[in-house]
Amino acid sequence: LFTHIDHVGIAVRDLDEAISFYEEKYGMKMLHREENEEQGVAEAMMAVGDSTSCIQLLAPLNEKSTIAKFIEKNGVGIQQMAYRVESIDEVCATLKERGLRLLYPEPKRGTAGSRINFIHPKDAGGVLVELVEPNPEGMH
Ligand code: V0V
């Protein structure tokens, strides 16, 4: 069903500070950075070595952001686990058949034009699971 770990998402308060930490302490390179208003986030994708898996640093764009709510409740730290898929439409249909709740009826726009959806954490053992179908012209 899933082909790779696409990224692990980490909620941070200050994106620039977090990017500097990952660059300076871990030597990671930033592959991409953008603001996604629909998701309420400023985000940066940090490459883990030469793999295509990333750490996604997520800072809230405003106080209504899901990331602001997450930090208020839990503090900073791991917010989500994202698996890469080939066809998000097929994978979502299969997961629905298996009784899992997806957050969106149709995929939304994610990093670099990817298509994304989420499994509700209450149906996934307390883990917010994101599904990512990358944009072929995007990062990977
Ligand atoms: C909430 N819960 C979580 C959680 N967020 N559990 C594990 N991991 C998380 N991140 C639990 C929470 O502890 C509650 O459990 C319950 O779910 C309801 O939480 P809530 O605080 O009342 O929050 P809600 O229901 O308002 O919102 C939770 C959901 C929301 C997951 C529905 O965060 C959401 O829509 N997330 C998807 C979008 C997103 O995260 N966007 C930002 C990343 P108890 O206390 O009732 O037991 S954007 C992104 O990843 C992009 C652009 C990309 O990758 O391309």
Side-chain angles (χ1 to χ4, degrees), residues 5 21 26 53 56 67 72-73 75 85 89-90 105 112 114 126:
I5 292 176
F21 178 91
Y26 301 153
S53 299
Q56 181 184 42
I67 299 301
E72 198 181 303
K73 203 166 168 187
V85 303
D89 296 320
E90 282 174 26
S114 59

Side-chain angles (χ1 to χ4, degrees), residues 7 39 56 66 69 73 79-80 103 110-111 121-122 126 130:
H7 61 266
Q39 292 291 334
Q56 181 184 42
T66 53
K69 190 169 178 191
K73 203 166 168 187
Q79 186 257 353
Q80 56 163 270
L103 292 186
T111 308
K122 291 291 161 193
E130 181 183 332

Side-chain angles (χ1 to χ4, degrees), residues 14 78 84 92 111 116 132:
D14 184 306
I78 295 181
R84 198 175 305 153
C92 287
T111 308
I116 62 171
V132 185

